[in-house]
């Protein structure tokens, strides 16, 4: 008699990151999802004997998520999950239960119709140094996630024998802004900046510059963001920015018989790593850099 038996079990594809962009003329709408699929059913043979005859590959579950996003769109996470769960249970004889977990990351529209900032607040930071006579105040923010769904391209770059990246004239540009800025106020006898107003205005200028720049490179966008802050905020002499490129790649749906173009709607894979990291400092003319490159 066997001394063990198989208990509850499931398998599937966890954390498929899918971004669906609907283009309603000049106005774009974004659904940013993290989808996890878990399937249960008649899976005794694969556990006991290694027979895959009843096993739908987890890669197929991932492809189904992408394909359904393209075919049905994402009216709501609930309805999208219903479509997926119903499909897996009704299309596969060996599967009698499907669990779909979806996280939706909200995006708030900035200014134009295709620029967004991730819902939820960023983290505000400050570093105060004082030597008994002079102050150095470096404030900042981090975790500010922004995205443009068009008006970004990347081409004309150097290529060598290891280059496989294709040039593109229209791409999603997304990043998680980490910014620090140094105030030129150093002495008690001088009027201090209005700290609350200054923070709100720096944040606004960072967002306005990101949204308003037709980007030929993330480096260009970085400079535009820092330049706008320095030009519009006389109390600030230096801005240091760190912008990881949160890559969004068009999913190849041709093997599934679907076109994934960018004319009306498109499905992207949001990759988390590896990522390009673009960093730089923008200085007021005549100012010396004092913000450290790393903490």
């Amino acid at each position: 008699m066997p001394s063990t038996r198989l208990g509850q079990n499931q398998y599937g594809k966890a954390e498929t990151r899918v971004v669906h962009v609907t283009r309603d003329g000049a106005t774009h709408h974004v659904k940013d999802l993290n989808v996890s699929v878990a399937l249960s059913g008649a899976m005794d043979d694969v556990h006991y004997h290694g027979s895959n005859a009843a096993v739908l590959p987890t890669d197929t579950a991932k492809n189904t998520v992408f394909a359904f996003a393209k075919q049905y769109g994402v009216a709501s996470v609930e309805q999208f999950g219903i479509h997926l769960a119903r499909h897996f249970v009704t299309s596969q004889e060996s599967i009698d239960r499907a669990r779909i977990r979806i996280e939706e990351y909200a995006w708030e529209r900035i200014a134009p119709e295709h620029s967004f900032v991730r819902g939820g607040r960023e983290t505000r930071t400050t570093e105060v140094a004082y030597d008994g006579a002079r102050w150095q105040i470096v404030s900042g923010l981090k975790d500010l996630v922004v995205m443009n769904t068009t008006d970004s391209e990347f081409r004309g770059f150097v290529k060598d024998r290891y280059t496989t990246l294709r040039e593109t004239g229209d791409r999603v540009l997304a990043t998680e802004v980490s910014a620090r800025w140094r105030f030129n106020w150093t002495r008690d006898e001088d009027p201090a900046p209005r700290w609350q107003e200054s923070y709100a205005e720096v944040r606004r200028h960072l967002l306005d510059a990101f949204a308003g720049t037709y980007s030929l490179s993330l480096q260009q966008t970085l400079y535009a963001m820092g330049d706008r802050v320095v030009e519009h905020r006389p109390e600030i002499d230096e801005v240091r920015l760190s912008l990881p490129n949160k890559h969004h790649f068009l999913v190849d749906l041709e093997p599934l018989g679907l076109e994934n173009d960018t004319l009306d709607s498109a499905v992207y894979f949001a990759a988390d790593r590896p990522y390009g990291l673009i960093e730089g400092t923008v200085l007021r003319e005549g100012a010396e850099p004092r913000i450290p490159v790393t903490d």
Side-chain angles (χ1 to χ4, degrees):
M1 293 288 292
S3 59
T4 65
R5 64 182 177 85
L6 178 66
Q8 190 277 333
N9 63 89
Q10 60 193 29
Y11 79 105
K13 204 67 163 183
E15 299 196 53
T16 296
R17 291 282 285 105
V18 55
V19 178
H20 183 260
V21 178
T22 302
R23 291 167 166 80
D24 182 12
T27 302
H28 294 186
H29 306 276
V30 172
K31 288 288 188 178
D32 188 349
L33 309 180
N34 190 10
V35 183
S36 292
V37 175
L39 307 174
S40 302
M43 298 294 158
D44 287 6
D45 280 352
V46 68
H47 287 89
Y48 290 139
H49 310 298
S51 170
N52 293 316
V55 176
L56 183 72
T58 65
D59 189 67
T60 302
K62 175 203 70 178
N63 289 344
T64 304
V65 171
F66 288 136
F68 274 38
K70 177 62 178 178
Q71 289 178 292
Y72 301 111
V74 185
S76 69
V77 291
E78 291 83 2
Q79 189 59 54
F80 190 62
I82 289 169
H83 278 311
L84 289 169
R86 180 183 291 118
H87 166 79
F88 289 120
V89 172
T90 60
S91 67
Q92 300 297 321
E93 185 177 349
S94 60
I95 295 171
D96 58 27
R97 184 172 184 272
R99 187 194 69 207
I100 314 297
R101 289 177 172 168
I102 304 176
E103 296 176 344
E104 180 177 359
Y105 307 122
W107 292 90
E108 300 168 4
R109 200 175 303 281
I110 306 177
E113 298 91 343
H114 58 262
S115 297
F116 301 86
V117 57
R118 173 72 63 78
R121 297 293 297 181
E122 71 282 354
T123 301
R124 181 174 173 175
T125 65
T126 194
E127 179 181 294
V128 177
Y130 182 55
D131 62 6
R134 299 178 71 85
W135 299 91
Q136 178 168 293
I137 312 294
V138 178
S139 293
L141 57 81
K142 60 181 181 178
D143 306 323
L144 181 66
V145 181
V146 292
M147 176 170 63
N148 282 334
T149 53
T150 190
D151 283 358
S152 174
E153 55 185 77
F154 188 56
R155 50 190 173 185
F157 47 82
V158 174
K159 303 178 182 69
D160 67 11
R161 59 182 293 194
Y162 302 111
T163 301
T164 59
L165 183 68
R166 295 181 180 178
E167 296 190 356
T168 177
D170 185 21
R171 65 172 180 170
V172 169
L173 182 67
T175 187
E176 183 174 305
V177 179
S178 177
R180 290 175 290 169
W181 50 89
R182 178 172 55 83
F183 293 92
N184 50 37
W185 178 79
T186 60
R187 301 183 303 174
D188 282 318
E189 53 266 35
D190 295 330
R194 298 172 183 246
W195 306 112
Q196 293 292 94
E197 174 188 312
S198 182
Y199 179 83
E201 285 297 293
V202 170
R203 182 184 186 276
R204 180 176 70 83
H205 286 304
L206 290 171
L207 292 177
D208 286 351
F210 178 83
T213 300
Y214 186 102
S215 181
L216 303 177
S217 68
L218 189 50
Q219 287 92 333
Q220 177 199 12
T221 300
L222 179 149
Y223 186 81
M225 293 168 73
D227 176 71
R228 186 177 177 103
V229 171
V230 172
E231 286 292 325
H232 287 81
R233 301 307 303 177
E235 73 274 22
I236 292 169
D237 275 356
E238 178 183 2
V239 179
R240 178 157 185 85
L241 289 155
S242 178
L243 304 181
N245 197 337
K246 301 178 79 66
H247 300 292
H248 287 62
F249 300 110
L250 272 173
V251 180
D252 181 9
L253 296 178
E254 286 189 11
L256 309 180
L258 297 170
E259 292 186 10
N260 192 23
D261 56 45
T262 59
L263 296 179
D264 56 353
S265 73
V267 174
Y268 298 86
F269 168 64
D272 64 343
R273 64 193 63 182
Y275 54 84
L277 181 60
I278 311 302
E279 298 180 296
T281 303
V282 178
L283 295 159
R284 188 176 302 281
E285 189 64 40
E288 293 295 326
R290 295 179 187 171
I291 301 177
V293 173
T294 56
D295 289 325

